[in-house]
Amino acid sequence: MAVAELGVVVLDCPDPRALAGFYAGVLGGTVEGEGDWVDLKLPDGKALAFQAAPGFVPPKWPSPDHSQQSHLDLLVKDLDASEKAVLELGAKPLDAEDRSRTFRVYADPAGHPFCLCAC
């Protein structure tokens, strides 16, 4: 028997509204809220939240000395087209050179790693 259910995944960042806007460009949805907490309400009813974190230091990936903390796996139908889109939105490639894999790794504008994964 479950004790709880997952509410929302929250990403710390320096500018919640800006990062929510980036992910709205990637995932669709509606950005709601201002200030220290902003929600991205996705078309399928799920949500992703963004919280202001003064002194935020982005995770390092890959790094044997530092944890990546967490990352998002985003399912896509076309890796090449999706890569072009996230780069135009401000993502930075972290490990996207190996075109034979079914995933590619990027950082969002705040530095959180995420993967585009072929579905």
Side-chain angles (χ1 to χ4, degrees):
M1 179 172 149
V3 174
E5 65 182 66
L6 180 64
V8 67
V9 173
V10 182
L11 296 178
D12 286 356
C13 59
D15 184 342
R17 189 141 188 94
L19 195 56
F22 168 81
Y23 279 104
V26 174
L27 300 169
T30 305
V31 176
E32 298 179 1
E34 296 288 336
D36 290 345
W37 185 281
V38 175
D39 291 307
L40 174 60
K41 304 291 184 175
L42 300 172
D44 64 2
K46 296 175 187 167
L48 189 58
F50 306 89
Q51 177 175 292
F56 173 76
V57 176
K60 295 181 181 179
W61 191 98
S63 173
D65 300 328
H66 298 91
S67 169
Q68 67 176 320
Q69 299 170 13
S70 64
H71 74 276
L72 301 174
D73 282 347
L74 307 178
L75 303 178
V76 300
K77 293 184 192 291
D78 183 329
L79 278 171
D80 292 331
S82 299
E83 174 181 64
K84 182 178 183 221
V86 299
L87 293 174
E88 288 173 356
L89 289 166
K92 294 179 179 66
L94 294 178
D95 185 16
E97 296 83 25
D98 186 349
R99 300 301 201 195
S100 67
R101 296 186 312 207
T102 59
F103 69 94
R104 298 178 192 161
V105 185
Y106 306 87
D108 68 24
H112 301 101
F114 69 94
C115 297
L116 295 179
C117 304
C119 60

